[in-house]
């Protein structure tokens, strides 16, 4: 840790992991509700648990991105953060706003929450991933703007590297596309069309820029390969990301009322979307093989390689599985989508955050890497969580295929609920995998509390 | 991969490619917004449909159901439920929740009055008439 | 530029990488892949509805398509001459050749715009039928590539005019040339596929 | 006469030939394959001479020609399956 203002990243990482744990707990609740329908009903109906699960995911990943930026930008710009005080303030504003929102979901019926929080003035609630009340949405915009002001000023007064530039582009893009969540027309087709501008252009557009920048930074630090080579690859990868990802939004415009040509544009360009993820995997392994130094933090190296592989599998392969229009006609709105969602989100955005946390946390605590035993524990956590997500995805894929076969194929298709009853076994298996994931996460958290007597001195 | 490809050129391709395809995306969006009126029968959006959408959102139905295939996969697709079951069944079903059957998936009771139930049905009826390139594959949705 | 085989007898070397910056070739291959998929998609979509495709194809003006092909090939030729000129260090001549190439590119855009105007004014849009969807998608997508190519060539021309290139260092010119030839190459397939074959 | 000028002229001639075939309105397998063949020759010329790939390692020319054969092959298959 070369600059003391990088320390502001620590609370962000701690909050991120805390919310991550919350997200997994609610994921387990929902997983159990899939098999025991009235579990915790009416205290926590499924839709409330889902809101908490998805919103905690997005909030903790945003905490992770912000923490990573606060760690990475000063080191890249070779200057102190513009205003650590502002960073601390925003941390508390965002944490309190997030916590209040979650409490609001859990304690008050959603309709009452809506009327209490001015949803009648400007209706932006009730849409997937964007269920936050208006004050929370406005709070997110404020936090994002102050955060962006803080790190942009730091870069402006310091060294400008490609990595910090790409990270800024990604984060500014994130803030700009979030503004579409305030646009909620009464025409459902228009509402959905621009809803995807927030959701898709986030996770298959600007977030991949953030992912690329964070991965490039960690790889430079771990492998010691010179910056020029890594930044060259970074630009090529994110060029392919935007070239394929922007028009790739079309794979969401097959069945929502938009014209038919989207089926051609959406299929063709989203079929190319796995290419940047494949290049990122080749890039990660290539850099680690050509490393010029043996970095003591083996766990972070494993996370970095894992990010490449799992994002290619989850977002690339599982995405391609159901992105072509003729296939999507049958898989749209089934468990196949949920399977892709789990592995893609974990493989790309959860793992890159854990890569950064695994690399930066020892630094923030004054050593270049944790002790051997702590790293072994962290690697156990890596494999438990990763294999568990692979299992969840496989089980949900099987469930999805059976669901399609029973509910949408053949001459006598089953009703939704009858089909769901036929695939309960996969939901049980998914729930069990979720428990394994929880064990992995607990081990991951525990690895931070290992005694680090024999750890190396700070770099 | 030494100087055979330079970072400057890679950066140019990133900016050129991003701007190019974003412009193409805007052009396609412009065409879509122009063509949509002929596909989504927006002339049938009555006040009741608008109120229905508001009720749909403020009860977070998307948290369990899918609408035109997008949402949660816990409960049936409702984009074509009006065609599958008809308005009266929908109203009766919403009023009759939760079933309380042990172990079954439960839908909360939203205490909607008759006006709100009619608005909800109007919204679901309008949604079922959008030209979705004949998705879903069958009436089960 | 790494030279693999330096064969003095035949006085030409075999280079390890294609002319220009290798990064542009990543972009070229990605574009070829995207267009290739679209060409195949057009052919197979036609297989489902031959009558419609053949009927709609009659409304296209094959003459303006052919003229556009000639224009683009000539423009590509000018760029080859420009690269040949800069290899001997004549940067002014190179700039003039590229200027001519941009001029012909503009002619291509003009003819194409006239064709589009004819189609749009008669109410044809992307949603009219599958043939017109492919015709408009492919030609507009290519049209934008011509514009991007001209922007790249303009940048190269300005730098050449300022003497930014020399006999030893002219990668930028070759990079712009490679991209422009790709744009021409795509049209060479697009013209017979859309305008001629039925 | 520079080689590239020769290539340019032959490209122009082949284009006029394609146009003539088009104007004659001929259809059927033979004509389709001829037109596709002309397109393949033209593209191969542009790639080898204009793009100067003939002075590079076989890999680069192989990628472009491989792509060309694949695309025109698919087009031919699509047309053949319908004409018969």
């Amino acid at each position: 840790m070369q600059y003391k203002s990088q320390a502001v990243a620590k609370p962000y990482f701690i909050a991120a992991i805390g919310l991550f744990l919350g997200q997994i707990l609610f994921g387990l609740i929902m997983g159990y509700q899939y098999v025991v329908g009235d579990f915790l009903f009416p205290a926590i109906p499924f839709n409330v648990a889902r809101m908490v699960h998805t919103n905690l995911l997005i909030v903790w990943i945003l905490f992770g991105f912000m923490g990573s930026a606060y760690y990475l930008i000063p080191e890249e710009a070779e200057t102190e953060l513009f205003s650590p005080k502002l960073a601390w303030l925003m941390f508390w504003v965002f944490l309190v706003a997030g916590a209040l929102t979650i409490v609001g979901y859990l304690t008050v019926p959603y309709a009452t929450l809506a009327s209490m929080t001015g949803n009648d003035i400007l209706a932006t609630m009730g849409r997937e991933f964007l269920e936050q009340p208006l004050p929370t949405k406005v709070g997110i915009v404020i936090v994002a703007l102050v955060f962006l002001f803080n790190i942009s000023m730091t870069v402006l007064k310091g060294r400008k590297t490609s990595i910090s530039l790409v990270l800024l582009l990604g984060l500014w893009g994130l803030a700009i596309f979030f503004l579409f969540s305030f646009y909620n027309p009464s025409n459902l087709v228009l509402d959905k069309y621009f809803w995807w501008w927030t959701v898709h252009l986030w996770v298959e557009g600007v977030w991949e820029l953030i992912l690329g920048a964070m991965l490039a930074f960690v790889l430079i630090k771990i492998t010691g390969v010179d910056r020029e080579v890594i930044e060259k690859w970074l630009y090529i990868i994110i060029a392919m990301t935007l070239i394929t990802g922007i028009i790739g939004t079309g794979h969401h415009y097959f069945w929502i009322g938009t014209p038919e040509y989207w089926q051609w544009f959406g299929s063709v360009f989203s079929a190319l979307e796995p290419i940047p993820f494949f290049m990122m995997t080749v890039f990660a392994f290539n850099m680690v093989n050509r490393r010029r130094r043996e970095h003591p933090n083996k766990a972070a190296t494993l996370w970095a390689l894992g990010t490449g592989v799992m994002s290619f599998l989850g977002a690339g392969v599982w995405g391609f599985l159901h992105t072509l229009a003729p296939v999507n006609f049958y898989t749209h709105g089934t468990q196949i989508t949920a399977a892709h969602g789990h592995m893609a989100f974990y493989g790309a955005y959860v793992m890159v955050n854990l890569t950064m946390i695994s690399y930066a946390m020892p630094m923030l605590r004054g050593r270049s890497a944790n002790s051997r035993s702590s790293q072994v524990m962290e690697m156990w956590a890596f494999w438990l969580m990763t294999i568990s997500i692979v299992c969840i995805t496989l089980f949900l894929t099987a469930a999805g295929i059976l669901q399609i076969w029973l509910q949408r194929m053949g001459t006598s298709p089953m009703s939704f609920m009858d089909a769901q009853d036929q695939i309960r076994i996969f939901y049980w298996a998914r729930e069990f995998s979720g428990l394994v994931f929880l064990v992995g996460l607990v081990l991951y958290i525990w690895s931070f509390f290992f005694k680090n007597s024999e750890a190396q001195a700070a770099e | 991969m030494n100087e055979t490809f330079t970072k400057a050129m890679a950066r140019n391709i990133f900016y050129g490619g991003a701007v190019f395809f974003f412009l193409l995306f805007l052009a396609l969006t412009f065409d879509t917004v122009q063509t949509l009126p002929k596909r989504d029968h927006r002339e049938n959006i009555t006040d009741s449909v608008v109120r229905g959408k508001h009720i749909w959102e403020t009860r977070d139905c998307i948290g369990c159901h899918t609408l035109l295939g997008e949402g949660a996969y816990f409960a049936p697709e409702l984009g074509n439920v009006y065609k599958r079951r008809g308005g009266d069944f929908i109203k009766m079903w919403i009023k009759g929740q939760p079933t309380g059957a042990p172990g079954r998936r439960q839908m909360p009771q939203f205490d909607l009055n008759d006006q709100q139930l009619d608005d909800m049905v109007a919204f679901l009826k309008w949604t079922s008439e959008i030209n979705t390139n004949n998705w879903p594959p069958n009436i089960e949705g | 530029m790494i030279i693999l085989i330096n064969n003095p007898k035949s006085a030409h070397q075999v280079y390890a990488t294609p002319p220009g910056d290798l990064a542009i070739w990543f972009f070229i291959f990605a574009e070829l892949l995207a267009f290739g998929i679209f060409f195949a998609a057009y052919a197979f979509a036609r297989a489902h509805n031959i009558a419609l495709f053949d009927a709609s194809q009659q409304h296209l003006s094959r003459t303006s398509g052919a003229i556009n092909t000639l224009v683009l090939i000539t423009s590509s030729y000018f760029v080859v001459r420009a690269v040949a000129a800069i290899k001997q260090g004549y940067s002014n001549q190179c700039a003039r050749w590229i200027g001519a190439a941009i001029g012909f590119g503009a002619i291509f855009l003009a003819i194409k715009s006239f064709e589009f105007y004819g189609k749009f004014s008669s109410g044809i849009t992307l949603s009219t039928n599958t043939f017109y969807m492919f015709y408009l998608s492919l030609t507009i997508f290519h049209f934008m590539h011509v514009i991007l190519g001209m922007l790249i060539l303009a940048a190269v021309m300005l730098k050449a005019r300022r003497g930014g290139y020399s006999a030893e260092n002219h990668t930028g010119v070759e990079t712009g040339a490679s991209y422009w030839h790709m744009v021409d190459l795509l049209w060479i397939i697009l013209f017979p596929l859309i305008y001629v074959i039925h | 006469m520079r080689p590239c000028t020769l290539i340019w002229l032959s490209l122009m001639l082949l284009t006029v030939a394609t146009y003539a075939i088009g104007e004659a309105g001929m259809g059927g397998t033979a004509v389709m394959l001829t037109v596709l063949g002309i397109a393949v020759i033209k593209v191969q010329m542009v790639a080898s001479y204009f793009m100067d790939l003939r002075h590079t390692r076989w890999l680069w020319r192989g990628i472009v020609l491989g792509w060309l054969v694949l695309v025109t092959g698919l087009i031919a298959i699509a047309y053949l399956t319908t004409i018969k």
Side-chain angles (χ1 to χ4, degrees):
Chain A
M1 190 175 87
Q2 294 145 9
Y3 297 88
K4 58 181 177 22
S5 63
Q6 286 179 292
V8 84
K10 199 166 169 187
Y12 280 86
F13 289 148
I14 293 166
I17 298 301
L19 297 176
F20 184 20
L21 187 62
Q23 177 217 339
I24 298 307
L25 291 178
F26 277 90
L28 288 171
I29 291 172
M30 291 160 65
Y32 194 67
Q33 283 177 334
Y34 255 90
V35 283
V36 177
D38 54 5
F39 177 61
L40 294 186
F41 186 85
I44 305 179
F46 183 86
N47 66 334
V48 170
R50 191 170 196 270
M51 273 193 288
V52 173
H53 182 63
T54 54
N55 283 260
L56 278 179
L57 166 69
I58 295 166
V59 168
W60 94 253
I61 285 187
L62 291 181
F63 262 114
F65 283 162
M66 287 197 267
S68 309
Y70 282 132
Y71 181 83
L72 177 154
I73 293 285
E75 198 161 320
E76 284 289 304
E78 288 171 348
T79 172
E80 287 295 345
L81 185 63
F82 178 77
S83 156
K85 278 196 301 301
L86 260 182
W88 272 97
L89 178 65
M90 283 306 114
F91 169 73
W92 289 111
V93 167
F94 197 41
L95 193 65
V96 167
L100 277 180
T101 307
I102 301 297
V103 166
Y105 288 157
L106 289 170
T107 54
V108 176
Y110 195 64
T112 328
L113 182 66
S115 54
M116 276 160 48
T117 57
N119 192 47
D120 303 327
I121 305 160
L122 175 63
T124 64
M125 291 169 72
R127 292 177 301 162
E128 200 184 3
F129 309 129
L130 301 179
E131 298 93 348
Q132 307 81 18
L134 189 59
T136 310
K137 284 200 172 83
V138 170
I140 291 171
V141 170
I142 292 166
V143 167
L145 284 180
V146 171
F147 161 69
L148 285 169
F149 168 74
N150 204 344
I151 52 171
S152 303
M153 292 304 287
T154 313
V155 171
L156 281 177
K157 72 180 170 84
R159 180 178 66 147
K160 293 139 183 76
T161 65
S162 295
I163 285 179
S164 46
L165 189 71
V166 167
L167 184 67
L168 279 182
L169 271 177
L171 291 168
W172 276 100
L174 184 152
I176 289 160
F177 284 121
F178 181 70
L179 298 178
F180 282 96
S181 65
F182 291 94
Y183 177 59
N184 181 15
S186 52
N187 177 338
L188 182 69
V189 181
L190 272 177
D191 167 11
K192 280 178 177 288
Y193 190 88
F194 288 105
W195 176 77
W196 282 112
W197 283 42
T198 300
V199 177
H200 173 93
L201 290 179
W202 263 20
V203 290
E204 291 176 56
V206 290
W207 280 29
E208 285 186 27
L209 266 61
I210 299 168
L211 167 70
M214 283 167 66
L215 198 62
F217 172 79
V218 170
L219 283 175
I220 286 181
K221 298 296 170 187
I222 283 179
T223 63
V225 171
D226 63 1
R227 173 179 290 277
E228 199 66 13
V229 173
I230 287 188
E231 284 182 345
K232 251 193 308 198
W233 275 92
L234 173 64
Y235 271 123
I236 289 288
I237 289 171
I238 54 174
M240 281 310 292
T241 298
L242 291 188
I243 286 169
T244 57
I246 293 179
I247 306 289
T249 315
H251 66 188
H252 300 294
Y253 295 155
F254 294 158
W255 323 115
I256 59 165
T258 41
E260 248 172 79
Y261 56 78
W262 279 111
Q263 295 185 9
W264 294 98
F265 273 95
S267 298
V268 169
F269 279 92
S270 59
L272 303 175
E273 271 186 68
I275 293 173
F277 285 109
F278 178 71
M279 290 165 80
M280 204 185 302
T281 308
V282 167
F283 164 67
F285 278 93
N286 204 336
M287 292 307 130
V288 169
N289 292 342
R290 289 166 48 195
R291 63 186 177 280
R292 294 230 201 86
R293 56 185 293 235
E294 282 306 323
H295 196 277
N297 195 339
K298 293 282 171 281
T301 316
L302 182 65
W303 280 110
L305 294 176
T307 303
V309 172
M310 287 307 290
S311 59
F312 173 61
L313 268 180
V317 172
W318 248 265
F320 180 73
L321 209 64
H322 62 140
T323 197
L324 299 178
V327 173
N328 195 261
F329 183 70
Y330 289 100
T331 64
H332 185 56
T334 67
Q335 292 296 328
I336 300 276
T337 315
H340 161 67
H342 279 91
M343 193 188 258
F345 237 103
Y346 174 77
Y349 302 116
V350 169
M351 285 185 87
V352 76
N353 268 317
L354 296 185
T355 305
M356 184 57 101
I357 292 170
S358 168
Y359 167 74
M361 215 40 147
M363 298 285 203
L364 293 168
R365 299 161 84 182
R367 48 183 177 274
S368 71
N370 290 331
S371 64
R372 223 188 66 73
S373 52
S374 161
Q375 285 195 42
V376 165
M377 177 59 68
E378 202 178 327
M379 291 188 188
W380 268 99
F382 168 91
W383 287 110
L384 276 175
M385 285 199 276
T386 303
I387 289 169
S388 142
I389 277 291
V390 168
C391 290
I392 288 177
T393 301
L394 289 175
F395 290 132
L396 288 184
T397 305
I401 292 167
L402 244 177
Q403 179 183 17
I404 291 164
W405 180 258
L406 295 172
Q407 189 186 318
R408 291 184 172 172
M409 296 282 208
T411 50
S412 58
M414 280 185 174
S415 77
F416 177 87
M417 274 322 292
D418 298 343
Q420 290 295 306
D421 290 339
Q422 297 304 315
I423 49 180
R424 297 168 65 81
I425 181 163
F426 293 110
Y427 292 140
W428 277 112
R430 180 263 297 269
E431 182 65 2
F432 173 71
S433 313
L435 288 174
V436 171
F437 190 96
L438 181 64
V439 168
L441 179 55
V442 165
L443 293 188
Y444 180 76
I445 294 168
W446 187 20
S447 74
F448 287 106
F449 297 103
F450 264 56
K451 287 189 316 315
N452 286 284
S453 51
E454 77 281 12
Q456 291 76 3
E459 214 168 84
Chain B
M1 222 43 126
N2 48 32
E3 267 324 299
T4 51
F5 90 89
T6 59
K7 187 169 81 171
M9 182 51 67
R11 178 188 297 134
N12 294 344
I13 287 169
F14 166 63
Y15 285 125
V19 168
F20 179 91
F21 281 94
F22 194 67
L23 289 177
L24 179 60
F25 187 54
L26 290 183
L28 288 171
T29 299
F30 178 73
D31 179 78
T32 298
V33 172
Q34 294 295 327
T35 323
L36 268 186
K38 294 194 278 292
R39 296 178 55 89
D40 61 13
H41 66 97
R42 58 181 61 187
E43 64 283 359
N44 299 350
I45 298 182
T46 61
D47 287 343
S48 176
V49 170
V50 172
R51 285 195 306 270
K53 183 168 187 283
H54 190 72
I55 296 165
W56 168 272
E57 286 167 356
T58 46
R59 271 65 183 181
D60 188 41
C61 304
I62 204 76
C64 290
H65 293 276
T66 50
L67 193 63
L68 302 185
E70 294 169 356
Y73 314 101
F74 187 73
E77 155 72 23
L78 294 184
N80 64 342
V81 74
Y82 184 82
K83 288 183 181 150
R84 183 165 63 241
R85 296 277 195 254
D88 298 333
F89 174 89
I90 293 171
K91 280 191 266 188
M92 186 271 298
W93 178 269
I94 294 176
K95 272 197 288 225
Q97 292 314 307
T99 58
R104 301 300 294 174
R105 298 181 187 180
Q106 299 300 312
M107 171 167 164
Q109 174 49 242
F110 294 110
D111 305 312
L112 302 180
N113 59 44
D114 288 339
Q115 170 64 44
Q116 289 173 318
L117 286 171
D118 291 337
D119 296 343
M120 188 60 120
V121 168
F123 170 66
L124 291 174
K125 177 177 184 305
W126 181 82
T127 307
S128 67
E129 287 152 5
I130 296 173
N131 173 356
T132 60
N133 302 328
N134 50 58
W135 189 88
N138 57 31
I139 196 61
E140 292 308 328
Chain C
M1 198 63 92
I2 304 157
I3 297 172
L4 282 184
I5 304 157
N6 200 336
N7 181 340
K9 266 202 322 308
S10 68
H12 79 275
Q13 302 95 341
V14 176
Y15 295 102
T17 55
D21 196 307
L22 199 59
I24 201 75
W25 283 91
F26 278 126
F27 190 43
I28 285 173
F29 293 141
E31 298 277 27
L32 289 184
L33 185 62
F35 268 95
I37 295 173
F38 261 111
F39 290 148
Y42 168 86
F44 283 100
R46 178 185 172 282
H48 294 296
N49 201 332
I50 303 152
L52 172 80
F53 272 62
D54 287 353
S56 306
Q57 197 179 33
Q58 302 311 328
H59 298 295
L60 298 186
S61 130
R62 191 177 295 112
T63 315
S64 67
I67 294 168
N68 266 343
T69 316
L70 299 176
V71 161
L72 216 49
I73 288 173
T74 312
S75 170
S76 229
Y77 169 65
F78 288 157
V79 167
V80 173
R81 293 299 297 267
V83 170
I86 196 62
K87 277 203 163 114
Q88 282 128 29
Y90 306 128
S91 49
N92 282 341
Q93 209 183 34
C94 166
R96 276 202 303 280
W97 275 117
I98 291 188
I102 293 173
F104 268 60
I107 296 169
F108 175 90
L109 294 184
I111 295 172
K112 205 64 214 155
S113 306
F114 185 72
E115 234 185 292
F116 282 147
Y117 177 73
K119 294 287 177 295
F120 289 140
S121 56
S122 59
I124 292 173
T125 70
L126 279 169
S127 307
T128 309
N129 67 31
T130 316
F131 174 79
Y132 280 117
M133 189 280 291
F134 270 107
Y135 166 71
L136 288 174
S137 304
L138 277 168
T139 45
I140 290 171
F141 195 37
H142 179 267
F143 188 90
M144 291 177 73
H145 279 78
V146 172
I147 294 172
L148 180 61
M150 284 166 67
L151 289 176
I152 295 173
L153 287 182
V156 167
M157 182 176 75
L158 291 177
K159 189 170 177 189
R161 197 173 283 163
R162 286 198 313 273
Y165 300 111
S166 67
E168 300 73 29
N169 173 5
H170 48 267
T171 323
V173 182
E174 286 176 331
T175 306
S178 304
Y179 185 80
W180 189 250
H181 293 315
M182 176 205 80
V183 170
D184 175 31
L185 183 146
L186 288 171
W187 181 264
I188 285 174
I189 295 179
L190 203 147
F191 169 62
L193 181 66
I194 302 273
Y195 287 85
V196 178
I197 303 176
H198 58 274
Chain D
M1 172 72 79
R2 292 167 178 270
C4 58
T5 312
L6 200 67
I7 297 292
W8 170 55
L9 290 177
S10 38
L11 281 171
M12 300 291 264
L13 283 179
L14 287 172
T15 307
V16 170
T18 311
Y19 174 62
I21 293 172
E23 283 304 288
M26 294 183 287
T29 319
V31 169
M32 183 272 292
L33 289 178
T34 327
V35 170
L36 267 187
I38 293 173
V40 165
I41 294 164
K42 284 165 73 179
V43 167
Q44 195 274 337
M45 270 190 207
V46 165
S48 298
Y49 291 90
F50 279 12
M51 282 179 160
D52 213 12
L53 288 182
R54 60 185 157 72
H55 288 148
T56 62
R57 216 164 32 160
W58 176 244
L59 168 73
W60 305 110
R61 225 180 342 179
I63 291 176
V64 174
L65 295 185
W67 168 81
L68 177 62
V69 166
L70 185 69
V71 170
T72 39
L74 283 172
I75 293 169
I77 290 165
Y79 275 78
L80 288 177
T81 53
T82 55
I83 291 170
K84 256 197 258 348

